[in-house]
Amino acid sequence: MTIFIKNGSVVSSTGVIQADVLIDGETIAAVIAPGDTSLGANLEATADQVFDAQGKYVIPGGVDVHTHMELPFGGTFASDTFETGTRAAAWGGTTTIIDFAVQKQGERVQDSLAAWHAKADGQCAIDYGFHQIIGGVDDDSLKAMDELVNEGITSFKLFMAYPGVFYSDDGQILRAMQTAANNGSTIMMHAENGIAIDVLVQQALAEGKTDPRYHSLTRPWETEAEATNRAIMLAKMTGTPLYIVHMSAKQAVQVVQQARDEAWNVFGETCPQYLYLSLEDHLSQPGFEGAKWVCSTPLRSKAEHHQEELWRYLRTNDLSIVSTDHCPFCMKEQKELGVGDFSKIPNGIGSVEHRMDLIFQGVVDGQITLERWVEITATTPARMFGLYPRKGVIAPGSDADVVIYDPAGRTEIGYEKTHHMNMDHSAWEGFNISGHVDTVISRGTVVVDNNQYIGTKGHGKYLKRGMNQYLV
Ligand code: URP
Ligand code: ZN
Ligand code: ZN
């Protein structure tokens, strides 16, 4: 099966060129400059399928390195399965996800990984890999980290938040970092001071402050900046690469910036919700509506100007990646668990379908360049998590994960209009984006075209990953 994409503007992290793209089977066979006939004069005539991308961008499929399908949280489970979540991702131009297998205290890490394979294998519309959450750092789980590296799990997430659930104390973090430093893997950190937050939460509840907005007010920026700083100091002691997930506070990113200026292997990630949504406009909506936007780290105050600074840090590369932290919960029977007590609202927002569009809006708004859009949503995620150049670039030999994106199109996000995630609402209702995902190709198979999903469950393959490719 061959696919010929003609007349498009092929975008990479380093530039835009006019070129045709030839796909043969599951891989990119050639990127052909105008007038180059070295592969034959009329490739179009012999191709099985032809797309005319005149006026459109041809980009590598999105790589979303932070999703939580079926995550157990707060007495319920994230509402997307691997089947529904990866299908929604495909709709939005994402062709690779990396999800988190979850080990809880007392559980064998290997068993938790097997459980994640059981959920995902044979279910996915697009390719997928795993990070491993270590929720109980002890001798056995540390040994397991070494084993998992050989299975293509080269990144481990730890939590400084959620005491009694996923939380690790500083000694546990230090030991896990020493292990990672030794086996070459990357530590991913949920950097919030969970012990301090728990005190603030109990105090707020005792004062009758139960509305969703108190979720943010009890997690002030200092709790993120302090934990970020502590994580970096611990990483410096061990020499482990450190990737701070879902950053929302500008002061926390400033700490990352300082470490990067000193040439430490410290990397920052943010998510669309922190670039567009806020405490005032979303979390503070009347009644229980704000629960839709309860996530951690929390949405922050517009008045504090975090959003502008996060965009700036994306330009300076102090934030290297935009992932979604896709962790959807329905309002009914899930978010509703926190009626009358914001601390019982399951944490998470569903966005896996909208990341490419939402960040393209940053190009339209003049926040980032076209090349940077591709870099922070596809190329850097692939390199950071050992998938490049198989993923994240359109080049001969790479997997044929390709999106034809129409900058003149429009995407009106809304539950009734464009929603394919397994949720009963959209956190992005009413967002009207300049740009549209026209065609999505996953490993040489067209999975979305003409506003139709034509992929299949089980097409997505498990990806064994290499090491972080930014390390020297
Ligand atoms: O609110 C969030 N972020 N939910 C998912 C779990 C996590 O901490 O990433
Ligand atoms: Zn987290
Ligand atoms: Zn997460």
Side-chain angles (χ1 to χ4, degrees), residues 261-416:
D261 287 351
E262 293 166 5
W264 291 96
N265 283 317
V266 173
F267 308 94
E269 167 200 271
T270 193
C271 311
Q273 51 269 36
Y274 306 123
L275 296 166
Y276 289 106
L277 310 177
S278 69
L279 167 65
E280 292 89 342
D281 294 342
H282 300 90
L283 207 48
S284 300
Q285 286 196 10
F288 191 62
E289 277 299 285
K292 291 175 181 169
W293 296 283
V294 165
C295 60
S296 296
T297 60
L299 301 189
R300 302 217 173 264
S301 168
K302 250 188 347 189
E304 293 174 358
H305 302 287
H306 296 279
Q307 293 178 0
E308 297 91 313
E309 286 295 287
L310 295 184
W311 280 113
R312 187 175 68 76
Y313 282 127
L314 280 171
R315 291 193 289 276
T316 61
N317 202 34
D318 293 301
L319 288 171
S320 309
I321 288 178
V322 179
S323 73
T324 54
D325 192 9
H326 176 74
C327 191
F329 294 100
C330 293
M331 284 294 265
K332 196 168 157 39
E333 291 174 8
Q334 296 201 298
K335 292 280 186 182
E336 276 174 3
L337 292 167
V339 172
D341 179 349
F342 68 87
S343 73
K344 294 198 164 59
I345 301 170
N347 287 198
I349 287 181
S351 309
V352 76
E353 187 171 350
H354 304 308
R355 183 183 63 124
M356 299 304 287
D357 285 320
L358 288 166
I359 305 307
F360 182 70
Q361 193 62 39
V363 178
V364 174
D365 294 345
Q367 295 283 8
I368 52 170
T369 63
L370 193 58
E371 293 88 343
R372 187 70 180 147
W373 171 51
V374 166
E375 187 166 36
I376 61 183
T377 57
T379 314
T380 298
R383 291 185 69 183
M384 190 74 71
F385 294 104
L387 290 172
Y388 184 90
R390 182 169 173 193
K391 305 292 186 187
V393 65
I394 295 179
S398 294
D399 279 359
D401 291 356
V402 178
V403 174
I404 303 176
Y405 197 84
D406 182 3
R410 287 202 79 73
T411 303
E412 284 184 57
I413 302 179
Y415 183 67
E416 300 292 337

Side-chain angles (χ1 to χ4, degrees), residues 66 68 71 73 157 159 162 166 190 245-246 274 294-297 325 327 329 347-349:
H66 191 151
H68 298 284
L71 175 77
F73 197 106
K157 184 177 177 190
F159 289 80
Y162 309 134
F166 299 129
H190 180 130
V245 295
H246 49 49
Y274 306 123
V294 165
C295 60
S296 296
T297 60
D325 192 9
C327 191
F329 294 100
N347 287 198
I349 287 181

Side-chain angles (χ1 to χ4, degrees), residues 187-254:
I187 292 291
M188 306 173 79
M189 189 61 77
H190 180 130
E192 286 188 294
N193 185 326
I195 301 288
I197 288 168
D198 267 11
V199 171
L200 297 176
V201 168
Q202 291 316 317
Q203 290 172 346
L205 291 173
E207 290 168 24
K209 297 170 174 169
T210 59
D211 292 347
R213 71 194 176 100
Y214 289 104
H215 175 75
S216 177
L217 297 173
T218 54
R219 306 176 99 88
W221 66 261
E222 289 90 341
T223 60
E224 184 182 341
E226 184 279 328
T228 300
N229 185 55
R230 187 157 33 100
I232 291 171
M233 293 303 155
L234 293 168
K236 284 184 183 180
M237 286 184 224
T238 61
T240 184
L242 177 66
Y243 178 93
I244 313 274
V245 295
H246 49 49
M247 300 194 78
S248 60
K250 62 183 180 184
Q251 296 88 345
V253 189
Q254 195 177 15

